[in-house]
Amino acid sequence: MIASRALLRSVAVVRFRIWLATALAFGALVAGLLRAQVNEEKRRDQSEETETRAASTPKPKKSPTPKTKRRHTPTPKPKTAKKKSGAKKTSDEAKKSAKSTSARKEETPKPRKTPAPQVEEARAASETAAPPPRAIAPPTPQPKPARAVSAGGQAQVVIEKSGIEEDQGFEPPPSPPPRRGFWPWSRPVSYRYLTSSVIDAIRRAPVKRRRWQFIVVHNSGTRQGNARVFDYYHKHVRRMQNGLAYHFVIGNGTSTGNGQIEVGDRWRRQINGGHVHSDYLNNISLGICLVGDFNRDQPTRAQLDACEELIRYLRDRCGKTERGTIPVKPHREMNPPRWPTDCPGDDFPYSWFRRF
C-alpha cells in the first residue's frame, strides 16, 4: 500500500512537471511570436518614418550648390596624384586607376549637370524677374486714364452731392420783419398773433429744403380743445405713436385764447403728420387745426387772421417748392377719394383760401 501511494505521488509529480514544461514551452513560443511581431511593427514604423523624413526633406537633397563645391574640390587632387605616381604604377594599378578615372568621369558629369539647373534656375529667375516690370509697365498708363476718369467721376459726384445738398440742405430762417419808418430806432413791425415764442419755435426747427409741399387746414370737429387735449386723444385713444397729429393748433377762445397759436411736437421734430388719410401726403404736408366744429359754427375772425399770419410765415420759413410757393388746401381737397371727408366743415368760408 505504501509503495502504491509513492508510485501515485511520483506519477502525479511527473505529470505536473510535464504540464509545467509544456506550459513554459508554449509561453516561450507565444512570447517569441509576439516579439517578432513587435519587431516587425517597429521596423515598419522606422521604415515609414524614414520614408516620411525623406519625403518631407527633399529640399536639402535637391540643393546643388554644396554638392558641386565639394565635388569640384577633390577633382584637382587626383589629377596631381596621377601625374606624380604615373611612372611608379604597375599594370594592375594602371587598370585600377583607369577604373577610378572612369568612375570619376562618370561622377564628373554630375557636377556638370548641377550647374545646368543653376543656369536654368537663373534663367527662370531672370524670366520670372523680368515679367514684373512688364506687368507693372502696362498698369502705369492705366492709372493715368483711371485717374483722369476718377477726377471726372469725382467732379460728377461733387455735382450730384451738391444737388442733393440743395434738395436736402436746411432752409435758412427768414429775415426779421421790416421796421416802421425810415429811422433805425423805430420799432419793428410786430405780428398780432405770432408771438415771439411761436416765432422762435418755428425758426429753431431744422427745416430741410423742399421738405414740405402743402399746407392743409383742418377743423377739430369739437367746440373746444387745445393741443394738449388733442395730443392725449391721439396718443391714448387713437393709438398714434407720435401723439398730436397736427403741426399747429389755433384756439377759438374756449380752452386757449382766441387766435392763440400752439406749436406741436411734430413741427419741432420735423416729422410727418397724421392729419391726412395718406402716408405720402402726411410726409410732405403741414397740418394746421382750427379748434371748432365748422359744420355748425364758423371760425372766428381771430382764428382766420392767426392762420393767415402763420401760413405766410411758414411759407417764408420752408422756402419755395418746384411749383413755387407752398399751396394751401382744405382737408377735403387733399384726402383720397376712397376716404372722403367734409373737413374743415360745410360752414367754413372757402373763399378765404383765395388769398393764398
Side-chain angles (χ1 to χ4, degrees):
M1 293 294 290
I2 293 169
S4 62
R5 288 180 181 176
L7 288 171
L8 291 171
R9 287 178 183 174
S10 62
V11 170
V13 170
V14 171
R15 287 180 180 175
F16 177 76
R17 289 178 180 177
I18 292 168
W19 178 81
L20 183 60
T22 53
L24 291 173
F26 184 76
L29 289 172
V30 172
L33 293 172
L34 292 174
R35 287 178 184 174
Q37 289 180 357
V38 170
N39 292 328
E40 287 179 0
E41 289 178 357
K42 286 182 179 179
R43 289 175 184 174
R44 289 176 184 175
D45 295 336
Q46 289 177 358
S47 63
E48 289 177 357
E49 288 178 359
T50 54
E51 289 177 358
T52 53
R53 287 177 183 175
S56 61
T57 58
K59 293 181 181 179
K61 291 180 180 179
K62 291 180 180 179
S63 60
T65 52
K67 290 182 179 178
T68 53
K69 289 179 181 178
R70 289 178 185 175
R71 287 177 182 173
H72 282 295
T73 51
T75 50
K77 290 180 181 179
K79 289 179 181 179
T80 56
K82 284 180 184 179
K83 289 178 182 179
K84 291 179 182 179
S85 61
K88 296 180 181 180
K89 284 184 180 179
T90 61
S91 62
D92 295 331
E93 290 177 355
K95 292 179 181 179
K96 290 180 181 179
S97 63
K99 291 180 180 179
S100 62
T101 52
S102 63
R104 286 172 186 172
K105 287 178 181 178
E106 291 176 357
E107 292 177 357
T108 50
K110 291 182 180 177
R112 289 177 184 174
K113 291 180 180 178
T114 51
Q118 289 181 356
V119 175
E120 291 177 359
E121 288 178 358
R123 290 177 182 174
S126 63
E127 289 176 358
T128 53
R134 292 179 184 174
I136 292 168
T140 49
Q142 288 179 359
K144 291 180 180 178
R147 288 176 184 174
V149 173
S150 64
Q154 288 179 358
Q156 292 177 0
V157 170
V158 169
I159 292 169
E160 289 177 359
K161 285 185 177 180
S162 64
I164 292 170
E165 289 175 358
E166 288 180 0
D167 293 339
Q168 296 182 356
F170 294 105
E171 190 72 27
S175 59
R179 296 176 178 271
R180 291 178 182 174
F182 299 95
W183 304 105
W185 58 82
S186 60
R187 296 180 180 180
V189 176
S190 60
Y191 293 98
R192 184 176 180 183
Y193 298 99
L194 281 175
T195 61
S196 59
S197 61
V198 174
I199 292 174
D200 290 340
I202 295 173
R203 289 170 63 91
R204 289 177 184 175
V207 181
K208 292 183 179 180
R209 294 176 181 175
R210 299 180 183 179
R211 170 71 169 84
W212 305 110
Q213 304 291 324
F214 297 97
I215 297 175
V216 184
V217 179
H218 304 258
N219 73 328
S220 64
T222 60
R223 290 188 170 181
Q224 59 185 3
N226 55 19
R228 183 177 59 82
V229 173
F230 300 151
D231 179 71
Y232 181 88
Y233 173 74
H234 291 162
K235 186 178 292 183
H236 297 283
V237 178
R238 296 187 61 181
R239 303 295 180 183
M240 300 176 72
Q241 184 178 0
N242 295 310
L244 180 64
Y246 311 105
H247 295 88
F248 300 93
V249 177
I250 300 176
N252 62 350
T254 54
S255 301
T256 55
N258 188 14
Q260 181 179 346
I261 299 172
E262 294 180 284
V263 182
D265 189 56
R266 291 179 186 263
W267 170 260
R268 292 189 176 92
R269 294 165 57 192
Q270 287 295 295
I271 60 176
N272 58 336
H275 51 94
V276 182
H277 201 81
S278 169
D279 293 335
Y280 173 74
L281 293 175
N282 280 326
N283 193 35
I284 60 173
S285 60
L286 293 171
I288 301 175
C289 177
L290 278 64
V291 178
D293 183 2
F294 302 143
N295 283 325
R296 294 180 291 178
D297 302 318
Q298 288 187 350
T300 63
R301 187 66 190 175
Q303 282 182 307
L304 295 177
D305 292 342
C307 187
E308 184 175 353
E309 287 184 5
L310 178 61
I311 289 170
R312 295 188 185 282
Y313 193 79
L314 287 176
R315 279 181 164 181
D316 292 337
R317 180 69 182 89
C318 298
K320 293 184 179 181
T321 64
E322 295 178 355
R323 297 181 299 274
T325 55
I326 300 175
V328 183
K329 300 288 183 180
H331 183 198
R332 62 169 60 184
E333 293 183 8
M334 294 295 294
N335 226 40
R338 291 181 59 188
W339 297 280
T341 180
D342 58 357
C343 180
D346 295 334
D347 292 339
F348 190 89
Y350 290 96
S351 58
W352 172 80
F353 286 98
R354 296 176 185 173
R355 299 182 181 182
F356 307 101

